[in-house]
Amino acid sequence: MSHGGIAVTFSARGDPLEPVGVVGVGPAALALARRVLAEDDAALAAWRGVVAQDAVFLLGAGDTLPWVDGAHYLGQDPAAPRILLPTTHRPNVPLEAFERALLRHAASLAPPLAILLEPRCVVSLAEARPLARELVQKWLEARS
Amino acid sequence: MPNSHLSREAVRRAIAEACTALVDRETLVELVVLCAVAGEHLLVVGPPGTGKSEAVRRIARRLGGRYFEYLIGRFTEPTELFGPINLRKLKEGIVETETAGMLPEAEIAFLDEVFLGSTAILNTLLSLLNERTFRRGHTILDCPLRVCVGASNRLPEDEQLAAFADRFLVRVFVEPIGDAGLEELLTTGWSLGAERGSASASMADLDVLTQAARAMDLAPVRPAMAHAVRTLRAAGIEWTDRRIVRVQRLVAAAAALAGRERPTEADLWPMVFALPTDQAQRLGRDVLRDALGAAENESLASAAAEGSLGLRARGAKIVTRGSALLEARPSAEQEARAWRLQLEGIAREIDATFGQETMPGDVAGLRARVVEILAE
Protein backbone atom coordinates (compact mmCIF):
# COMPACT_ATOMS: atom_id res chain seq x y z
CA MET A 1 0.00 0.00 0.00
CA SER A 2 1.60 3.31 -1.05
CA HIS A 3 0.43 6.84 -0.38
CA GLY A 4 2.23 9.88 -1.74
CA GLY A 5 5.31 7.82 -2.44
CA ILE A 6 5.60 6.26 1.01
CA ALA A 7 5.31 2.49 0.98
CA VAL A 8 3.15 1.38 3.90
CA THR A 9 3.79 -2.05 5.31
CA PHE A 10 1.95 -3.78 8.12
CA SER A 11 3.40 -5.69 11.03
CA ALA A 12 1.93 -7.76 13.86
CA ARG A 13 0.81 -5.70 16.83
CA GLY A 14 1.54 -6.69 20.41
CA ASP A 15 -1.70 -5.05 21.51
CA PRO A 16 -4.46 -6.52 19.36
CA LEU A 17 -7.55 -4.40 18.90
CA GLU A 18 -10.96 -5.44 20.21
CA PRO A 19 -12.94 -6.77 17.24
CA VAL A 20 -15.86 -4.67 16.02
CA GLY A 21 -16.26 -6.43 12.70
CA VAL A 22 -15.43 -9.55 10.73
CA VAL A 23 -14.79 -10.03 7.04
CA GLY A 24 -14.74 -13.11 4.89
CA VAL A 25 -13.27 -13.02 1.39
CA GLY A 26 -13.65 -15.77 -1.24
CA PRO A 27 -14.41 -19.17 0.34
CA ALA A 28 -14.49 -17.54 3.80
CA ALA A 29 -17.21 -15.16 2.52
CA LEU A 30 -19.37 -18.14 1.51
CA ALA A 31 -18.78 -19.80 4.88
CA LEU A 32 -19.58 -16.56 6.69
CA ALA A 33 -22.83 -16.13 4.75
CA ARG A 34 -23.88 -19.71 5.59
CA ARG A 35 -22.95 -19.16 9.24
CA VAL A 36 -25.02 -15.97 9.33
CA LEU A 37 -28.04 -17.74 7.85
CA ALA A 38 -27.87 -20.36 10.60
CA GLU A 39 -28.75 -17.66 13.13
CA ASP A 40 -32.28 -16.58 14.02
CA ASP A 41 -33.65 -13.16 13.07
CA ALA A 42 -32.91 -11.63 16.48
CA ALA A 43 -29.21 -12.44 16.14
CA LEU A 44 -29.16 -11.16 12.57
CA ALA A 45 -30.71 -7.88 13.69
CA ALA A 46 -27.79 -7.32 16.08
CA TRP A 47 -25.34 -7.14 13.17
CA ARG A 48 -24.94 -4.64 10.38
CA GLY A 49 -23.38 -5.80 7.19
CA VAL A 50 -22.17 -5.14 3.68
CA VAL A 51 -22.07 -7.81 1.01
CA ALA A 52 -19.66 -7.08 -1.81
CA GLN A 53 -18.79 -8.97 -4.99
CA ASP A 54 -16.49 -11.45 -3.28
CA ALA A 55 -16.68 -10.48 0.37
CA VAL A 56 -19.03 -10.31 3.35
CA PHE A 57 -18.50 -7.73 6.12
CA LEU A 58 -20.30 -7.85 9.46
CA LEU A 59 -20.18 -5.21 12.16
CA GLY A 60 -21.33 -5.77 15.74
CA ALA A 61 -20.32 -6.25 19.36
CA GLY A 62 -17.04 -8.17 19.47
CA ASP A 63 -18.24 -11.07 21.55
CA THR A 64 -21.29 -11.67 19.34
CA LEU A 65 -19.44 -11.82 16.03
CA PRO A 66 -19.50 -15.22 14.30
CA TRP A 67 -16.41 -17.23 13.51
CA VAL A 68 -15.56 -19.16 10.37
CA ASP A 69 -12.18 -20.49 9.35
CA GLY A 70 -10.32 -17.97 7.21
CA ALA A 71 -12.29 -14.88 8.29
CA HIS A 72 -10.43 -11.82 9.58
CA TYR A 73 -11.44 -9.56 12.44
CA LEU A 74 -11.41 -5.78 12.22
CA GLY A 75 -10.95 -3.28 15.02
CA GLN A 76 -10.88 0.46 15.60
CA ASP A 77 -7.81 2.14 17.04
CA PRO A 78 -8.72 5.32 18.97
CA ALA A 79 -5.90 7.09 17.10
CA ALA A 80 -7.67 6.48 13.78
CA PRO A 81 -11.40 6.13 14.46
CA ARG A 82 -12.54 6.48 10.83
CA ILE A 83 -10.79 3.35 9.62
CA LEU A 84 -11.11 -0.31 10.56
CA LEU A 85 -7.86 -2.23 10.69
CA PRO A 86 -7.08 -5.92 11.10
CA THR A 87 -7.13 -6.47 14.87
CA THR A 88 -3.75 -8.17 14.66
CA HIS A 89 -1.75 -5.73 12.53
CA ARG A 90 -0.73 -2.07 12.43
CA PRO A 91 0.84 0.06 9.70
CA ASN A 92 4.49 1.08 10.00
CA VAL A 93 3.57 4.78 9.90
CA PRO A 94 1.80 6.87 12.58
CA LEU A 95 -1.87 5.91 12.57
CA GLU A 96 -3.19 9.47 12.53
CA ALA A 97 -1.12 10.26 9.43
CA PHE A 98 -2.09 6.96 7.83
CA GLU A 99 -5.79 7.67 8.36
CA ARG A 100 -5.49 11.21 6.96
CA ALA A 101 -3.56 10.02 3.90
CA LEU A 102 -5.96 7.16 3.27
CA LEU A 103 -9.07 9.36 3.47
CA ARG A 104 -7.46 11.84 1.08
CA HIS A 105 -6.29 9.13 -1.30
CA ALA A 106 -9.70 7.39 -1.33
CA ALA A 107 -11.76 10.58 -1.27
CA SER A 108 -14.57 8.93 -3.25
CA LEU A 109 -15.14 6.36 -0.50
CA ALA A 110 -17.20 7.39 2.51
CA PRO A 111 -15.78 6.40 5.91
CA PRO A 112 -15.55 4.24 7.85
CA LEU A 113 -13.08 2.45 5.61
CA ALA A 114 -12.05 -1.15 6.19
CA ILE A 115 -8.44 -2.06 5.39
CA LEU A 116 -7.90 -5.61 4.19
CA LEU A 117 -4.45 -7.12 3.91
CA GLU A 118 -5.33 -10.22 1.87
CA PRO A 119 -6.27 -9.18 -0.77
CA ARG A 120 -4.88 -5.72 -0.09
CA CYS A 121 -7.77 -3.30 -0.56
CA VAL A 122 -9.89 -0.60 1.04
CA VAL A 123 -13.68 -0.95 1.33
CA SER A 124 -16.21 1.63 2.50
CA LEU A 125 -18.56 0.36 5.19
CA ALA A 126 -20.71 3.50 5.16
CA GLU A 127 -23.54 1.48 3.60
CA ALA A 128 -23.59 -1.13 6.36
CA ARG A 129 -27.21 -1.87 7.25
CA PRO A 130 -29.03 -4.36 9.52
CA LEU A 131 -28.69 -7.71 7.80
CA ALA A 132 -31.63 -8.90 5.71
CA ARG A 133 -31.84 -12.68 5.50
CA GLU A 134 -33.17 -12.53 1.91
CA LEU A 135 -30.25 -10.41 0.76
CA VAL A 136 -27.69 -12.84 2.17
CA GLN A 137 -29.63 -15.80 0.74
CA LYS A 138 -29.71 -14.23 -2.73
CA TRP A 139 -26.01 -13.37 -2.54
CA LEU A 140 -25.22 -16.94 -1.58
CA GLU A 141 -27.48 -18.50 -4.24
CA ALA A 142 -25.82 -16.39 -6.92
CA ARG A 143 -22.47 -17.97 -5.99
CA SER A 144 -23.55 -21.59 -5.46
CA MET B 1 13.23 -26.55 47.68
CA PRO B 2 12.29 -30.18 46.95
CA ASN B 3 8.56 -29.80 47.61
CA SER B 4 7.90 -26.59 45.73
CA HIS B 5 6.94 -28.38 42.51
CA LEU B 6 4.35 -30.52 44.33
CA SER B 7 3.07 -27.50 46.25
CA ARG B 8 2.74 -25.48 43.07
CA GLU B 9 0.81 -28.30 41.42
CA ALA B 10 -1.50 -28.56 44.44
CA VAL B 11 -2.14 -24.81 44.41
CA ARG B 12 -2.79 -24.86 40.66
CA ARG B 13 -5.31 -27.64 41.17
CA ALA B 14 -6.97 -25.62 43.92
CA ILE B 15 -7.25 -22.60 41.61
CA ALA B 16 -8.67 -24.68 38.75
CA GLU B 17 -11.25 -26.33 41.00
CA ALA B 18 -12.24 -23.05 42.65
CA CYS B 19 -12.79 -21.50 39.22
CA THR B 20 -14.99 -24.32 37.96
CA ALA B 21 -18.46 -22.89 37.40
CA LEU B 22 -17.35 -19.39 38.40
CA VAL B 23 -17.92 -16.93 35.59
CA ASP B 24 -15.26 -14.32 34.92
CA ARG B 25 -13.77 -14.31 38.41
CA GLU B 26 -10.59 -16.29 37.63
CA THR B 27 -8.39 -13.23 38.06
CA LEU B 28 -9.80 -12.54 41.51
CA VAL B 29 -9.24 -16.16 42.60
CA GLU B 30 -5.67 -16.13 41.26
CA LEU B 31 -4.86 -12.83 42.95
CA VAL B 32 -6.04 -14.19 46.31
CA VAL B 33 -3.45 -16.95 45.88
CA LEU B 34 -0.75 -14.51 44.73
CA CYS B 35 -1.36 -12.36 47.82
CA ALA B 36 -1.41 -15.39 50.12
CA VAL B 37 2.01 -16.47 48.81
CA ALA B 38 3.35 -12.90 48.93
CA GLY B 39 1.96 -12.27 52.44
CA GLU B 40 0.01 -9.27 51.20
CA HIS B 41 -3.66 -8.31 51.31
CA LEU B 42 -6.20 -7.69 48.59
CA LEU B 43 -9.00 -5.18 48.20
CA VAL B 44 -11.91 -5.97 45.88
CA VAL B 45 -13.87 -2.94 44.75
CA GLY B 46 -17.21 -3.36 43.01
CA PRO B 47 -20.97 -3.34 43.40
CA PRO B 48 -22.72 -5.86 45.65
CA GLY B 49 -23.79 -9.17 44.14
CA THR B 50 -20.86 -9.53 41.77
CA GLY B 51 -19.53 -12.81 43.14
CA LYS B 52 -16.75 -11.37 45.29
CA SER B 53 -17.44 -13.39 48.41
CA GLU B 54 -18.26 -16.57 46.47
CA ALA B 55 -14.91 -16.42 44.68
CA VAL B 56 -12.96 -15.92 47.90
CA ARG B 57 -14.95 -18.59 49.75
CA ARG B 58 -14.27 -21.10 46.98
CA ILE B 59 -10.51 -20.61 46.87
CA ALA B 60 -10.34 -20.61 50.69
CA ARG B 61 -12.14 -23.96 50.75
CA ARG B 62 -9.78 -25.42 48.13
CA LEU B 63 -6.71 -24.13 49.93
CA GLY B 64 -7.95 -25.74 53.12
CA GLY B 65 -7.20 -22.80 55.41
CA ARG B 66 -9.19 -21.72 58.47
CA TYR B 67 -11.60 -19.22 56.95
CA PHE B 68 -13.35 -16.27 58.54
CA GLU B 69 -15.91 -14.12 56.74
CA TYR B 70 -17.90 -11.16 58.02
CA LEU B 71 -20.09 -8.39 56.65
CA ILE B 72 -19.11 -5.28 58.61
CA GLY B 73 -21.66 -2.57 59.34
CA ARG B 74 -21.52 0.79 61.10
CA PHE B 75 -22.71 -0.82 64.33
CA THR B 76 -20.51 -3.92 64.21
CA GLU B 77 -18.86 -4.48 67.59
CA PRO B 78 -15.19 -5.52 67.79
CA THR B 79 -16.30 -8.69 69.58
CA GLU B 80 -18.13 -9.82 66.42
CA LEU B 81 -14.83 -9.99 64.58
CA PHE B 82 -12.24 -10.69 67.21
CA GLY B 83 -14.21 -12.69 69.77
CA PRO B 84 -16.00 -12.02 73.08
CA ILE B 85 -14.33 -10.76 76.22
CA ASN B 86 -13.68 -13.55 78.73
CA LEU B 87 -16.07 -12.51 81.54
CA ARG B 88 -14.50 -14.79 84.17
CA LYS B 89 -11.11 -13.13 83.59
CA LEU B 90 -12.74 -9.70 83.48
CA LYS B 91 -13.91 -10.20 87.08
CA GLU B 92 -10.24 -10.56 87.93
CA GLY B 93 -9.51 -7.28 86.15
CA ILE B 94 -7.98 -8.92 83.07
CA VAL B 95 -9.36 -7.97 79.63
CA GLU B 96 -8.84 -11.11 77.58
CA THR B 97 -10.48 -12.00 74.26
CA GLU B 98 -11.70 -15.51 73.42
CA THR B 99 -10.51 -15.74 69.84
CA ALA B 100 -11.47 -19.34 69.00
CA GLY B 101 -13.06 -19.44 65.54
CA MET B 102 -12.71 -15.68 65.09
CA LEU B 103 -10.59 -13.44 62.86
CA PRO B 104 -7.38 -13.58 64.96
CA GLU B 105 -7.22 -17.35 64.32
CA ALA B 106 -8.15 -17.22 60.63
CA GLU B 107 -5.69 -18.13 57.89
CA ILE B 108 -7.80 -16.62 55.11
CA ALA B 109 -10.26 -13.82 55.84
CA PHE B 110 -12.92 -11.99 53.85
CA LEU B 111 -14.21 -8.72 55.31
CA ASP B 112 -17.08 -7.28 53.31
CA GLU B 113 -17.67 -3.49 53.55
CA VAL B 114 -14.36 -3.29 55.36
CA PHE B 115 -14.29 0.53 55.50
CA LEU B 116 -17.52 0.68 57.50
CA GLY B 117 -15.69 -0.62 60.57
CA SER B 118 -15.44 1.62 63.66
CA THR B 119 -12.14 3.24 64.66
CA ALA B 120 -11.66 0.50 67.28
CA ILE B 121 -12.09 -2.20 64.63
CA LEU B 122 -9.86 -0.52 62.05
CA ASN B 123 -7.06 0.12 64.57
CA THR B 124 -7.07 -3.51 65.67
CA LEU B 125 -7.22 -4.61 62.04
CA LEU B 126 -4.24 -2.42 61.20
CA SER B 127 -1.85 -4.33 63.44
CA LEU B 128 -3.44 -7.61 62.39
CA LEU B 129 -2.84 -6.81 58.71
CA ASN B 130 0.58 -5.19 59.13
CA GLU B 131 2.20 -7.30 61.79
CA ARG B 132 -0.02 -10.38 61.91
CA THR B 133 -0.49 -9.58 65.57
CA PHE B 134 -3.75 -9.29 67.50
CA ARG B 135 -3.61 -6.81 70.37
CA ARG B 136 -6.61 -6.12 72.54
CA GLY B 137 -6.51 -5.51 76.28
CA HIS B 138 -4.24 -8.12 77.81
CA THR B 139 -4.46 -10.39 74.76
CA ILE B 140 -1.51 -10.36 72.41
CA LEU B 141 -1.48 -13.12 69.80
CA ASP B 142 0.55 -13.99 66.73
CA CYS B 143 -1.95 -14.51 63.94
CA PRO B 144 -1.67 -17.17 61.23
CA LEU B 145 -3.34 -14.89 58.65
CA ARG B 146 -1.98 -15.54 55.14
CA VAL B 147 -4.26 -13.15 53.31
CA CYS B 148 -7.10 -10.81 54.16
CA VAL B 149 -9.47 -9.87 51.37
CA GLY B 150 -11.37 -6.66 52.01
CA ALA B 151 -14.33 -5.66 49.87
CA SER B 152 -16.06 -2.34 49.31
CA ASN B 153 -18.38 -0.68 46.84
CA ARG B 154 -15.90 2.12 46.29
CA LEU B 155 -12.51 3.39 47.38
CA PRO B 156 -12.68 5.63 50.46
CA GLU B 157 -12.15 9.34 50.00
CA ASP B 158 -11.57 10.07 53.69
CA GLU B 159 -7.82 10.55 54.27
CA GLN B 160 -7.62 8.31 57.34
CA LEU B 161 -9.52 5.51 55.63
CA ALA B 162 -7.33 5.93 52.54
CA ALA B 163 -4.27 5.36 54.74
CA PHE B 164 -5.89 2.15 56.04
CA ALA B 165 -6.79 1.13 52.48
CA ASP B 166 -3.14 1.54 51.47
CA ARG B 167 -2.42 -1.61 53.54
CA PHE B 168 -4.23 -3.60 50.85
CA LEU B 169 -1.42 -3.76 48.30
CA VAL B 170 -3.41 -5.46 45.55
CA ARG B 171 -6.58 -3.93 44.18
CA VAL B 172 -9.13 -5.63 41.95
CA PHE B 173 -11.99 -3.72 40.40
CA VAL B 174 -14.90 -5.99 39.45
CA GLU B 175 -17.88 -5.26 37.25
CA PRO B 176 -21.11 -7.21 36.78
CA ILE B 177 -20.77 -9.99 34.20
CA GLY B 178 -20.93 -8.65 30.63
CA ASP B 179 -23.72 -9.47 28.16
CA ALA B 180 -21.76 -12.26 26.50
CA GLY B 181 -21.38 -14.18 29.76
CA LEU B 182 -25.00 -14.03 30.88
CA GLU B 183 -26.00 -17.50 29.61
CA GLU B 184 -23.02 -19.02 31.38
CA LEU B 185 -23.79 -17.02 34.51
CA LEU B 186 -27.39 -18.23 34.57
CA THR B 187 -26.38 -21.85 33.98
CA THR B 188 -23.59 -21.97 36.53
CA GLY B 189 -25.41 -19.78 39.04
CA TRP B 190 -28.23 -22.33 39.09
CA SER B 191 -25.92 -25.06 40.37
CA LEU B 192 -23.57 -22.86 42.42
CA GLY B 193 -25.17 -23.68 45.76
CA ALA B 194 -24.38 -27.36 45.29
CA GLU B 195 -20.61 -26.79 45.25
CA ARG B 196 -19.06 -28.61 48.20
CA GLY B 197 -15.48 -29.20 47.23
CA SER B 198 -12.82 -30.40 49.59
CA ALA B 199 -9.31 -28.98 49.90
CA SER B 200 -6.84 -29.89 47.19
CA ALA B 201 -3.98 -27.87 48.68
CA SER B 202 -2.99 -26.81 52.16
CA MET B 203 -1.52 -23.92 54.09
CA ALA B 204 1.71 -25.93 54.11
CA ASP B 205 1.76 -25.73 50.29
CA LEU B 206 1.33 -21.96 50.46
CA ASP B 207 4.11 -21.74 53.03
CA VAL B 208 6.51 -23.70 50.81
CA LEU B 209 5.87 -21.24 47.97
CA THR B 210 6.15 -18.26 50.33
CA GLN B 211 9.57 -19.49 51.46
CA ALA B 212 10.65 -19.98 47.84
CA ALA B 213 9.52 -16.43 47.03
CA ARG B 214 11.23 -14.86 50.02
CA ALA B 215 14.51 -16.63 49.18
CA MET B 216 14.58 -15.10 45.70
CA ASP B 217 17.16 -12.60 44.55
CA LEU B 218 15.31 -9.74 42.90
CA ALA B 219 18.44 -7.89 41.80
CA PRO B 220 18.15 -9.03 38.14
CA VAL B 221 14.68 -7.49 37.71
CA ARG B 222 15.11 -4.32 39.78
CA PRO B 223 16.34 -2.19 36.83
CA ALA B 224 13.25 -3.21 34.84
CA MET B 225 11.01 -2.49 37.84
CA ALA B 226 12.59 0.94 38.34
CA HIS B 227 12.12 1.67 34.65
CA ALA B 228 8.45 0.66 34.90
CA VAL B 229 7.94 2.92 37.93
CA ARG B 230 9.55 5.83 36.05
CA THR B 231 7.27 5.13 33.07
CA LEU B 232 4.22 5.16 35.34
CA ARG B 233 5.33 8.40 36.99
CA ALA B 234 5.88 10.00 33.59
CA ALA B 235 2.28 9.08 32.75
CA GLY B 236 1.13 10.92 35.88
CA ILE B 237 0.44 7.81 37.97
CA GLU B 238 1.38 8.36 41.59
CA TRP B 239 1.66 5.57 44.14
CA THR B 240 3.21 5.51 47.55
CA ASP B 241 6.81 4.48 48.15
CA ARG B 242 5.47 1.76 50.45
CA ARG B 243 3.56 0.21 47.55
CA ILE B 244 6.56 0.47 45.23
CA VAL B 245 8.77 -1.37 47.73
CA ARG B 246 6.21 -4.02 48.65
CA VAL B 247 5.33 -4.83 45.06
CA GLN B 248 8.62 -6.77 45.01
CA ARG B 249 6.92 -9.38 47.18
CA LEU B 250 4.27 -9.82 44.51
CA VAL B 251 6.88 -10.18 41.77
CA ALA B 252 8.74 -12.82 43.79
CA ALA B 253 5.47 -14.65 44.56
CA ALA B 254 4.52 -14.60 40.87
CA ALA B 255 7.89 -16.13 39.99
CA ALA B 256 7.48 -18.85 42.65
CA LEU B 257 3.99 -19.69 41.39
CA ALA B 258 5.32 -19.80 37.82
CA GLY B 259 7.97 -22.30 38.92
CA ARG B 260 10.93 -20.03 38.28
CA GLU B 261 13.96 -20.06 40.54
CA ARG B 262 14.52 -16.35 40.01
CA PRO B 263 12.16 -13.66 38.77
CA THR B 264 12.33 -12.42 35.20
CA GLU B 265 10.55 -9.72 33.24
CA ALA B 266 7.74 -12.27 32.80
CA ASP B 267 6.92 -11.69 36.49
CA LEU B 268 6.46 -7.92 36.51
CA TRP B 269 2.74 -7.96 35.67
CA PRO B 270 1.56 -7.80 39.35
CA MET B 271 2.79 -4.19 39.40
CA VAL B 272 -0.39 -3.22 37.57
CA PHE B 273 -2.60 -4.66 40.31
CA ALA B 274 -0.71 -2.66 42.94
CA LEU B 275 -1.73 0.62 41.28
CA PRO B 276 -4.28 2.20 43.59
CA THR B 277 -7.24 3.11 41.37
CA ASP B 278 -9.15 1.59 38.48
CA GLN B 279 -8.11 4.50 36.27
CA ALA B 280 -4.44 4.13 37.24
CA GLN B 281 -4.58 0.40 36.46
CA ARG B 282 -6.12 1.00 33.04
CA LEU B 283 -3.53 3.64 32.19
CA GLY B 284 -0.76 1.56 33.74
CA ARG B 285 -1.59 -1.45 31.54
CA ASP B 286 -1.38 0.79 28.54
CA VAL B 287 1.89 2.58 29.28
CA LEU B 288 3.57 -0.63 30.50
CA ARG B 289 2.42 -2.63 27.49
CA ASP B 290 5.94 -3.07 26.14
CA ALA B 291 7.54 -3.61 29.56
CA LEU B 292 5.02 -6.34 30.34
CA GLY B 293 5.02 -7.93 26.90
CA ALA B 294 6.89 -10.99 28.21
CA ALA B 295 4.38 -11.59 31.03
CA GLU B 296 3.47 -15.22 31.50
CA ASN B 297 2.42 -17.43 34.40
CA GLU B 298 1.12 -20.96 34.06
CA SER B 299 -0.43 -20.98 37.52
CA LEU B 300 -1.98 -17.53 37.28
CA ALA B 301 -2.77 -17.37 33.56
CA SER B 302 -5.82 -15.15 33.86
CA ALA B 303 -4.27 -12.55 36.18
CA ALA B 304 -1.07 -12.39 34.12
CA ALA B 305 -3.10 -11.84 30.97
CA GLU B 306 -5.33 -9.20 32.53
CA GLY B 307 -2.42 -7.44 34.18
CA SER B 308 -0.22 -7.25 31.14
CA LEU B 309 -2.36 -7.49 28.02
CA GLY B 310 0.75 -9.24 26.67
CA LEU B 311 0.37 -11.75 23.85
CA ARG B 312 2.16 -14.58 25.68
CA ALA B 313 -0.03 -14.22 28.75
CA ARG B 314 -3.18 -13.90 26.66
CA GLY B 315 -2.22 -17.02 24.73
CA ALA B 316 -1.70 -18.98 27.95
CA LYS B 317 -5.10 -17.89 29.24
CA ILE B 318 -6.81 -18.88 25.99
CA VAL B 319 -5.11 -22.29 26.05
CA THR B 320 -6.21 -22.89 29.65
CA ARG B 321 -9.80 -21.94 28.91
CA GLY B 322 -9.92 -23.72 25.56
CA SER B 323 -8.44 -26.96 26.88
CA ALA B 324 -10.93 -27.02 29.76
CA LEU B 325 -13.76 -26.44 27.30
CA LEU B 326 -12.62 -29.24 25.01
CA GLU B 327 -12.59 -31.63 27.96
CA ALA B 328 -16.12 -30.61 28.92
CA ARG B 329 -17.75 -31.82 25.69
CA PRO B 330 -21.39 -32.52 26.52
CA SER B 331 -23.11 -35.73 25.52
CA ALA B 332 -26.63 -34.28 25.50
CA GLU B 333 -27.69 -32.92 22.12
CA GLN B 334 -29.37 -29.80 23.55
CA GLU B 335 -26.15 -28.73 25.30
CA ALA B 336 -24.01 -29.29 22.22
CA ARG B 337 -25.05 -26.07 20.49
CA ALA B 338 -24.12 -23.88 23.48
CA TRP B 339 -20.80 -25.74 23.72
CA ARG B 340 -20.04 -25.19 20.03
CA LEU B 341 -20.81 -21.49 20.43
CA GLN B 342 -18.31 -21.33 23.27
CA LEU B 343 -15.76 -23.08 21.04
CA GLU B 344 -16.46 -20.50 18.34
CA GLY B 345 -15.75 -17.85 20.96
CA ILE B 346 -12.33 -19.40 21.60
CA ALA B 347 -11.60 -19.52 17.86
CA ARG B 348 -12.71 -15.90 17.47
CA GLU B 349 -10.47 -14.80 20.33
CA ILE B 350 -7.49 -16.63 18.83
CA ASP B 351 -8.00 -15.20 15.34
CA ALA B 352 -8.64 -11.67 16.64
CA THR B 353 -5.55 -11.79 18.85
CA PHE B 354 -2.83 -13.52 16.85
CA GLY B 355 -1.51 -13.22 13.35
CA GLN B 356 0.20 -16.27 11.90
CA GLU B 357 3.60 -14.83 12.80
CA THR B 358 2.72 -14.19 16.46
CA MET B 359 0.66 -17.27 17.26
CA PRO B 360 2.42 -19.42 19.90
CA GLY B 361 2.68 -23.15 19.16
CA ASP B 362 0.30 -24.22 21.92
CA VAL B 363 -2.33 -21.72 20.72
CA ALA B 364 -1.93 -23.01 17.15
CA GLY B 365 -2.39 -26.55 18.45
CA LEU B 366 -5.56 -25.58 20.31
CA ARG B 367 -6.88 -23.75 17.25
CA ALA B 368 -6.34 -26.83 15.07
CA ARG B 369 -8.34 -29.00 17.48
CA VAL B 370 -11.14 -26.42 17.72
CA VAL B 371 -11.34 -25.99 13.94
CA GLU B 372 -11.52 -29.76 13.49
CA ILE B 373 -14.45 -30.05 15.91
CA LEU B 374 -16.30 -27.07 14.47
CA ALA B 375 -15.97 -28.61 11.00
CA GLU B 376 -17.77 -31.82 12.13
Side-chain angles (χ1 to χ4, degrees):
Chain A
M1 206 170 278
S2 170
H3 299 283
I6 300 173
V8 178
T9 58
F10 284 78
S11 55
R13 53 191 302 160
D15 56 339
L17 298 169
E18 286 300 314
V20 297
V22 60
V23 53
V25 180
L30 297 174
L32 191 55
R34 287 190 198 101
R35 175 67 187 80
V36 163
L37 290 175
E39 289 293 333
D40 59 23
D41 289 346
L44 250 65
W47 296 321
R48 292 179 303 121
V50 170
V51 285
Q53 181 60 29
D54 194 29
V56 173
F57 293 81
L58 289 185
L59 299 175
D63 48 16
T64 68
L65 291 170
W67 173 89
V68 295
D69 200 10
H72 295 282
Y73 290 90
L74 301 169
Q76 242 167 345
D77 193 305
R82 288 181 295 172
I83 60 176
L84 273 71
L85 293 158
T87 53
T88 53
H89 287 75
R90 68 160 77 243
N92 66 337
V93 293
L95 264 175
E96 297 88 337
F98 178 69
E99 182 188 55
R100 271 198 310 274
L102 190 66
L103 291 172
R104 204 167 43 238
H105 188 75
S108 61
L109 299 177
L113 303 181
I115 318 294
L116 301 194
L117 300 185
E118 293 170 24
R120 198 156 279 207
C121 63
V122 178
V123 178
S124 167
L125 299 183
E127 297 298 318
R129 296 285 181 269
L131 277 185
R133 184 177 297 280
E134 299 71 29
L135 177 73
V136 180
Q137 256 161 352
K138 271 187 192 166
W139 182 91
L140 195 54
E141 280 162 14
R143 280 150 189 85
S144 299
Chain B
M1 201 65 64
N3 293 328
S4 67
H5 172 70
L6 291 176
S7 294
R8 195 170 56 255
E9 286 305 309
V11 168
R12 281 182 67 173
R13 222 168 23 249
I15 293 172
E17 288 167 1
C19 290
T20 304
L22 258 190
V23 184
D24 206 20
R25 293 291 174 255
E26 294 90 346
T27 296
L28 173 55
V29 166
E30 290 174 4
L31 289 176
V32 172
V33 173
L34 178 73
C35 285
V37 172
E40 290 293 342
H41 306 295
L42 182 150
L43 182 66
V44 198
V45 182
T50 43
K52 301 189 287 279
S53 58
E54 180 63 26
V56 180
R57 207 175 293 140
R58 279 170 160 251
I59 187 62
R61 191 180 298 139
R62 297 297 181 174
L63 290 174
R66 283 198 300 274
Y67 180 60
F68 181 85
E69 176 181 324
Y70 209 80
L71 171 63
I72 298 177
R74 293 200 183 283
F75 303 107
T76 299
E77 294 285 339
T79 53
E80 295 170 56
L81 293 177
F82 307 118
I85 302 293
N86 184 325
L87 294 177
R88 195 167 42 80
K89 290 268 177 77
L90 189 62
K91 283 180 188 165
E92 299 164 17
I94 299 169
V95 182
E96 200 164 273
T97 307
E98 291 181 341
T99 56
M102 307 304 280
L103 180 57
E105 297 196 4
E107 290 164 321
I108 299 174
F110 178 72
L111 300 178
D112 206 354
E113 298 297 352
V114 67
F115 300 120
L116 291 185
S118 64
T119 310
I121 287 177
L122 295 185
N123 279 335
T124 309
L125 271 180
L126 206 56
S127 66
L128 213 152
L129 297 185
N130 278 351
E131 303 150 32
R132 264 62 172 191
T133 304
F134 172 66
R135 283 197 196 89
R136 194 154 176 250
H138 292 89
T139 308
I140 300 176
L141 282 178
D142 287 335
C143 300
L145 186 69
R146 304 309 200 279
V147 55
C148 175
V149 181
S152 176
N153 292 342
R154 63 177 71 89
L155 287 174
E157 287 167 12
D158 177 273
E159 215 167 90
Q160 277 185 320
L161 282 179
F164 172 70
D166 202 46
R167 266 59 182 189
F168 292 88
L169 181 62
V170 171
R171 307 272 174 94
V172 188
F173 298 87
V174 296
E175 303 280 348
I177 302 300
D179 288 353
L182 286 176
E183 283 82 0
E184 197 185 348
L185 177 70
L186 288 166
T187 308
T188 55
W190 186 247
S191 55
L192 210 55
E195 212 273 340
R196 287 284 179 273
S198 55
S200 33
S202 67
M203 290 297 107
D205 289 317
L206 283 185
D207 293 343
V208 166
L209 295 169
T210 299
Q211 284 167 25
R214 297 220 168 133
M216 277 186 191
D217 176 13
L218 273 89
V221 289
R222 282 200 182 105
M225 289 184 74
H227 177 68
V229 172
R230 277 191 285 272
T231 305
L232 292 167
R233 282 181 173 168
I237 297 171
E238 291 299 327
W239 46 336
T240 60
D241 291 349
R242 173 170 44 216
R243 299 181 89 75
I244 293 170
V245 171
R246 293 188 79 105
V247 83
Q248 295 179 97
R249 287 174 169 231
L250 300 177
V251 170
L257 281 156
R260 284 185 265 278
E261 287 181 7
R262 58 186 64 84
T264 70
E265 293 191 13
D267 301 309
L268 299 185
W269 56 269
M271 292 180 79
V272 168
F273 291 106
L275 295 175
T277 65
D278 192 15
Q279 196 185 10
Q281 290 190 2
R282 285 172 198 271
L283 184 57
R285 277 186 195 96
D286 208 32
V287 299
L288 294 182
R289 203 183 283 275
D290 291 340
L292 303 182
E296 177 271 325
N297 194 303
E298 274 192 31
S299 303
L300 312 174
S302 188
E306 200 172 305
S308 67
L309 301 178
L311 284 183
R312 281 182 64 189
R314 286 177 71 160
K317 183 181 172 184
I318 292 171
V319 168
T320 303
R321 273 196 10 248
S323 304
L325 190 60
L326 285 173
E327 282 178 21
R329 185 169 194 159
S331 50
E333 187 64 33
Q334 62 264 41
E335 292 169 23
R337 181 173 154 72
W339 182 75
R340 286 178 67 90
L341 280 175
Q342 285 179 287
L343 275 187
E344 269 196 21
I346 295 286
R348 177 178 60 229
E349 196 173 346
I350 291 173
D351 286 356
T353 305
F354 302 99
Q356 278 181 345
E357 62 275 51
T358 56
M359 193 178 296
D362 53 352
V363 177
L366 171 70
R367 187 184 185 282
R369 289 172 66 197
V370 169
V371 170
E372 194 180 321
I373 290 171
L374 290 174
E376 286 171 3

